[in-house]
Amino acid sequence: MSQTKFNVRKVAVLGAGVMGAQIAAHLVNAKVPTILFDLPAKEGDKNGIVLKALEGLKKQKPSPLAAKDLVSFIQPANYEEHLHLLKDCDLVIEAIAERMDWKADLYHKVSPHLGERTIFATNTSGLSINKLAEACPDNVRPRFCGVHFFNPPRYMHLVEIIPCHTSDAEILDNLERFLVTTLGKGVVRAKDTPNFVANRIGVFSMLATIANAEKFGIRFDVVDDLTGPRLGRPKSATFRTADVVGLDTFAHVVKTMEDTLPHDPWHAYFKSPEWLQKLIAAGALGAKTKAGIYKKEGKQMFVLDPIKGEYVGSGEKGDDAVKEILKIANPAEKFKKLRESQHPQAQFLWACFRDVFHYIAFHLADIANSARDVDFAIRWGFGWSVGPFETWQAAGWQQVAQWIEEDIKAGKGLTSADLPGWALETDRSGVHFAEGSYDAASAKLVGRSTLDVYQRQLAPARVLGEAQGPLGETVFENDGLRAFTTGDGVLVASFKSKAHAIGPDVLAGLNTALDIAEERFKALVIWQTEEPFSVGADLSSMMPAFMMGDWAAIEETIRRFQATSMRMRYSQIPTVAATQGYVFGGGCEFAMHCDRVVAALESYVGLVEVGVGLLPGGGGCKEFALRASQEAKGDVLAALKDYFMAIATAKVGTSAIEAQEIGYLRKTDVVVFNAYELLYVAKQQALAMAESGYRPPLKVKGFPVAGRSGAASIKGQLVNMLEGHFISQHDFTIASLIADVMTGGDVEQGTLVDEQWILDLERKGFMQLLKNSKTQDRIANMLTTGKPLRN
């Protein structure tokens, strides 16, 4: 382990193109001061190229920035005037175009200006790291390596670290620590082979899909319907992914494979199809040029028909019979049915799986340090929910290997290369086991990294076949919640409901967990085993009472919800919410009432009840009214207006940092970049509060509200919005009720009320809206389509 602590105080990124600018954005998201370099502009401000890139960052969707104003912490620079700034940077990342000669020129230029301990890394997506290292002076080579971010860098979990022969081991460990904890990344150490691990396999998978689509005559839109979420892969599936990446970028990665892998048995497929070359020549590069394999005209979507060489109407789906096979939960049965089916779409899908299985087995020894690295690289870099080796193992290793062999012998595969001997061993049941994952080069099982930073991941990403019992020892469990401990004095509560929606079982479980924690533990942490944190109240659990018109039962549930929120606020022990993914509605209200929130950066937080025609009924309106009064400098209404708008427009913070700016999270709440460190940090926060003599906050005796005159002022603005057709009549009804609740009801401005007063108003308003037929339509629409209705 490193003796000297490695601090990254400042980073420089060389190259303000798409990747360079977004890497810089993610660095400042993590509060790392960053200098972004590019060539001097030929006219005007010499930093013009970088300044234009920074403007571009503000407009991108989804945003590379966790908050808009963070862009001001990226310092623009150019190679002519600012090279002296490099000496103060602990890390310099080169991210210019993928040309060996350009990179070598830049290395000669910047090397003399690097600090003597600066780590110098290239973000190349496939060029040889050892070849690039040759362009560095001798004294820089031990500090040189590849660090390959995936696009978009804020959202893609994967970063590949690629050492060269001369890379210093301690430098690589320090870089990995920084990437994992500060930037929140999943690191895979890759070998210096063309396109490394994820792109080598992910792009091969796309090329195999393209080849098999042609072979079986499957339309591109049908391919995308079959190879997206139905296979546990992103919505963009295959061809739409190529459009998003950029057809020129995709073609470049393919060209790298063609040029650098002449002896690969699949080499014949490492070329861009003719239709792709024609699209690129015509400037149709995908999403960035608004036309590629797909293009939109007005509201209609078109897709390329490669045989006709023209666009045809898009939207055809896979055959129902094939989609039924894909729904089979048992992987062994699913693959058997796909392989036996005579349907071209089923044969196409089996062929795509078979060719990827064949490729990863054949190349495991030369491209990756273990099968685990392959699966993580594809999951984190290409968004597959299950890695290719895991898929094969789950479907029955021996049987699948036999099928692949039969297809190779029958000439059905893309190549006649044999499966390697290790894959055909008669006692082999897979590549992932409790003791480790298979490394074909050493013919051994290798364990996970022992780097200290991974001790913080109490529930790390796992591959199928690893020891995976439930975390900790169960202390209490019901149908809605499991509470467990790992022996450190903290009780952890995890919801078991779908999307962690909050219904009667979760409320009962949470209250029992609080009872137990107050009696036997130092603190309570609410943490889910996977995202989301919670999508809010379980509306479907209210349906039976709703259908019978049993309003009293529903009101009792809302009262219970409010009481649970308040219990978390005034409990005898510290309460901490550890959030990631959606933190909506009631989930947001629970988090707001905990002593502290530890939020993963990718927490999307909001009181979104307006979308189903309701107002926050679990203490959200009350909490914002209270916070406004505590922040008001004599004018409660002024402090309340932004909070009111957040609820009335169902505003969502699209990062934990933005949620702090809106006010859903407090400035004192903690933002964690690596979601796998969430539980560790939440427990540390809870224990720190407990160890420092925690006492619950004193109950607020009375706080001033804006009263009926405040509500009238807000409603005046709502009338303007209604008359300008910005909101509907029902939106106006809901927003007016929210205004009444948040301003304290029918009282004078400045009247002192307590929390229960607002909670009662909130509950009354919730019930009033629930009985409204327009709200009932909104709820029904959300439950059936998952989308909000504007009525």
Side-chain angles (χ1 to χ4, degrees):
M1 190 177 143
S2 153
Q3 295 309 302
T4 46
K5 189 161 179 273
F6 174 67
N7 276 331
V8 177
R9 289 156 301 197
K10 191 179 272 187
V11 175
V13 178
L14 311 179
V18 175
M19 282 303 281
Q22 290 196 62
I23 291 168
H26 193 56
L27 284 161
V28 293
N29 286 342
K31 297 190 182 143
V32 179
T34 302
I35 311 170
L36 182 59
F37 278 83
D38 212 305
L39 296 164
K42 291 193 168 64
E43 48 202 52
D45 188 327
K46 283 210 170 147
N47 289 333
I49 294 173
V50 176
L51 293 170
K52 189 178 172 197
L54 297 182
E55 278 308 305
L57 286 176
K58 296 179 195 169
K59 299 178 192 136
Q60 276 177 356
K61 291 254 185 305
S63 176
L65 297 156
K68 293 278 178 287
D69 60 355
L70 286 169
V71 76
S72 63
F73 294 97
I74 302 174
Q75 181 182 342
N78 66 77
Y79 303 127
E80 193 176 292
E81 300 173 302
H82 303 115
L83 287 177
H84 63 280
L85 298 174
L86 292 174
K87 73 176 187 306
D88 297 326
C89 295
D90 299 295
L91 171 63
V92 173
I93 300 171
E94 169 270 306
I96 68 167
E98 291 285 86
R99 277 197 38 188
M100 196 68 89
D101 53 341
W102 291 0
K103 288 181 191 281
D105 282 349
L106 183 62
Y107 296 1
H108 289 303
K109 189 185 289 180
V110 303
S111 290
H113 300 275
L114 298 175
E116 51 191 66
R117 295 187 61 208
T118 304
I119 297 177
F120 188 33
T122 172
N123 180 58
T124 178
S125 58
L127 297 177
S128 166
I129 304 301
N130 283 298
K131 198 102 191 101
L132 287 169
E134 289 170 14
C136 297
D138 290 351
N139 68 326
V140 172
R141 284 182 200 176
R143 296 176 277 134
F144 183 74
C145 65
V147 57
H148 179 214
F149 286 82
F150 276 66
N151 192 13
R154 172 183 157 188
Y155 300 95
M156 296 309 282
H157 190 56
L158 180 65
V159 173
E160 292 170 319
I161 290 181
I162 312 95
C164 57
H165 300 317
T166 50
S167 298
D168 177 82
E170 189 180 341
I171 292 280
L172 298 172
D173 287 350
N174 282 334
L175 182 58
E176 185 161 349
R177 290 182 180 103
F178 171 72
L179 290 167
V180 170
T181 286
T182 309
L183 298 189
K185 296 301 171 195
V187 169
V188 165
R189 299 250 185 140
K191 296 183 181 185
D192 187 19
T193 53
N195 291 349
F196 315 128
V197 182
N199 273 344
R200 177 80 176 268
I201 295 162
V203 171
F204 172 79
S205 172
M206 289 172 75
L207 291 171
T209 304
I210 291 168
N212 284 312
E214 187 181 338
K215 184 171 167 185
F216 293 99
I218 316 289
R219 284 172 52 118
F220 291 175
D221 49 355
V222 173
V223 169
D224 279 354
D225 180 51
L226 291 172
T227 61
R230 296 183 201 285
L231 300 185
R233 297 181 193 171
K235 276 205 284 257
S236 55
T238 303
F239 291 105
R240 208 177 291 278
T241 295
D243 270 353
V244 172
V245 167
L247 299 185
D248 51 343
T249 307
F250 177 64
H252 172 80
V253 178
V254 174
K255 182 86 173 84
T256 303
M257 291 171 80
E258 183 182 14
D259 294 347
T260 55
L261 296 166
H263 305 301
D264 190 302
W266 285 264
H267 185 263
Y269 297 93
F270 301 163
K271 58 176 192 293
S272 296
E274 202 177 317
W275 56 261
L276 181 61
Q277 294 170 29
K278 282 182 178 163
L279 285 175
I280 294 170
L285 306 179
K288 58 188 168 189
T289 59
K290 309 251 186 302
I293 296 167
Y294 290 89
K295 74 167 179 182
K296 200 171 185 182
E297 287 180 5
K299 288 196 170 173
Q300 205 181 343
M301 193 60 110
F302 293 88
V303 65
L304 183 75
D305 179 331
I307 297 163
K308 294 181 182 164
E310 58 191 51
Y311 288 97
V312 296
S314 162
E316 277 200 23
K317 303 279 187 226
D319 192 87
D320 286 344
V322 178
K323 290 192 289 200
E324 283 307 311
I325 297 176
L326 292 180
K327 284 182 191 160
I328 297 170
N330 178 346
E333 190 189 336
K334 177 163 39 188
F335 278 105
K336 187 171 189 290
K337 288 250 164 78
L338 282 176
R339 188 163 186 269
E340 287 173 354
S341 169
Q342 293 306 301
H343 197 295
Q345 291 174 15
Q347 292 176 340
F348 155 76
L349 285 169
W350 159 249
C352 291
F353 277 110
R354 174 203 63 216
D355 293 336
V356 169
F357 294 159
H358 190 179
Y359 195 77
I360 57 176
F362 187 90
H363 283 301
L364 177 59
D366 49 272
I367 63 173
N369 294 313
S370 76
R372 184 194 309 108
D373 287 349
V374 168
D375 281 340
F376 280 158
I378 294 297
R379 274 162 51 175
W380 297 341
F382 278 77
W384 295 17
S385 58
V386 184
F389 275 124
E390 292 176 286
T391 305
W392 181 349
Q393 184 164 329
W397 186 274
Q398 295 279 335
Q399 178 63 79
V400 171
Q402 188 189 321
W403 286 337
I404 298 169
E405 273 284 273
E406 287 171 13
D407 280 14
I408 294 170
K409 288 197 170 74
K412 291 181 178 175
L414 297 180
T415 176
S416 59
D418 288 325
L419 274 176
W422 66 262
L424 295 166
E425 289 162 1
T426 51
D427 58 347
R428 179 166 295 285
S429 59
V431 287
H432 301 305
F433 305 95
E435 314 86 272
S437 289
Y438 189 68
D439 167 24
S442 67
K444 289 192 184 105
L445 293 180
V446 293
R448 301 172 75 103
S449 168
T450 54
L451 203 62
D452 49 8
V453 70
Y454 294 110
Q455 303 309 307
R456 297 162 59 88
Q457 300 191 3
L458 304 182
R462 301 265 183 209
V463 283
L464 176 98
E466 270 188 288
Q468 251 178 311
L471 188 64
E473 178 196 335
T474 303
V475 176
F476 162 78
E477 189 164 13
N478 71 353
D479 287 344
L481 176 148
R482 173 180 178 252
F484 66 89
T485 178
T486 56
D488 54 5
V490 178
L491 187 66
V492 182
S494 294
F495 303 171
K496 289 159 58 177
S497 49
K498 186 180 177 190
H500 306 131
I502 302 160
D505 290 334
V506 171
L507 289 173
L510 202 47
N511 278 287
T512 305
L514 281 160
D515 290 341
I516 295 169
E518 287 182 336
E519 193 184 318
R520 293 167 37 200
F521 289 87
K522 294 179 182 176
L524 178 81
V525 168
I526 303 174
W527 168 83
Q528 316 299 12
T529 53
E530 57 190 8
E531 58 179 273
F533 177 72
S534 173
V535 293
D538 181 4
L539 293 172
S540 56
S541 71
M542 293 183 193
M543 288 317 275
F546 183 72
M547 302 303 276
M548 290 163 66
D550 188 351
W551 304 113
I554 294 176
E555 185 161 4
E556 185 46 45
T557 301
I558 302 306
R559 187 180 274 111
R560 189 99 201 268
F561 208 123
Q562 292 180 333
T564 307
S565 291
M566 291 296 279
R567 211 172 149 201
M568 285 194 281
R569 161 63 43 85
Y570 294 111
S571 168
Q572 293 303 310
I573 46 153
T575 54
V576 176
T579 69
Q580 64 165 320
Y582 296 144
V583 188
F584 285 168
C588 178
E589 288 170 307
F590 275 178
M592 289 169 87
H593 282 81
C594 285
D595 291 303
R596 185 146 305 157
V597 179
V598 174
L601 175 72
E602 300 308 333
S603 292
Y604 308 103
V605 190
L607 294 169
V608 296
E609 285 83 352
V610 169
V612 286
L614 293 166
L615 53 75
C621 297
K622 178 274 300 176
E623 193 56 21
F624 268 172
L626 175 61
R627 289 182 190 186
S629 80
Q630 288 168 338
E631 291 158 18
K633 303 201 171 24
D635 186 348
V636 177
L637 182 61
L640 187 71
K641 275 187 171 165
D642 283 347
Y643 286 146
F644 164 78
M645 283 307 289
I647 293 181
T649 60
K651 190 172 186 181
V652 172
T654 58
S655 73
I657 295 169
E658 204 182 317
Q660 283 178 315
E661 290 180 351
I662 297 167
Y664 293 126
L665 301 183
R666 293 158 295 225
K667 292 284 186 267
T668 50
D669 288 330
V670 178
V671 180
V672 171
F673 273 59
N674 196 320
Y676 293 111
E677 296 185 355
L678 202 53
L679 181 56
Y680 171 82
V681 178
K683 284 180 164 205
Q684 295 300 315
Q685 291 284 325
L687 287 167
M689 283 189 275
E691 298 299 341
S692 54
Y694 177 81
R695 296 286 305 161
L698 295 167
K699 288 210 167 145
V700 183
K701 285 278 187 265
F703 59 92
V705 289
R708 66 178 84 86
S709 63
S713 163
I714 292 171
K715 287 176 191 173
Q717 290 172 302
L718 291 174
V719 169
N720 293 339
M721 290 171 78
L722 181 65
E723 287 175 352
H725 303 294
F726 293 109
I727 58 174
S728 69
Q729 182 63 54
H730 192 47
D731 291 331
F732 177 79
T733 303
I734 301 163
S736 300
L737 252 178
I738 294 168
D740 287 336
V741 173
M742 291 180 77
T743 55
D746 192 10
V747 295
E748 292 291 326
Q749 182 180 349
T751 301
L752 298 180
V753 301
D754 62 9
E755 288 175 272
Q756 194 56 51
W757 174 267
I758 307 265
L759 287 171
D760 291 343
L761 289 174
E762 194 181 82
R763 193 173 63 254
K764 196 171 140 201
F766 185 96
M767 294 307 298
Q768 190 178 326
L769 286 169
L770 194 60
K771 293 173 187 174
N772 184 309
S773 64
K774 283 209 155 71
T775 284
Q776 291 170 8
D777 291 342
R778 285 193 183 189
I779 292 172
N781 196 71
M782 181 59 83
L783 289 174
T784 50
T785 69
K787 292 192 171 78
L789 170 74
R790 292 299 304 278
N791 58 355

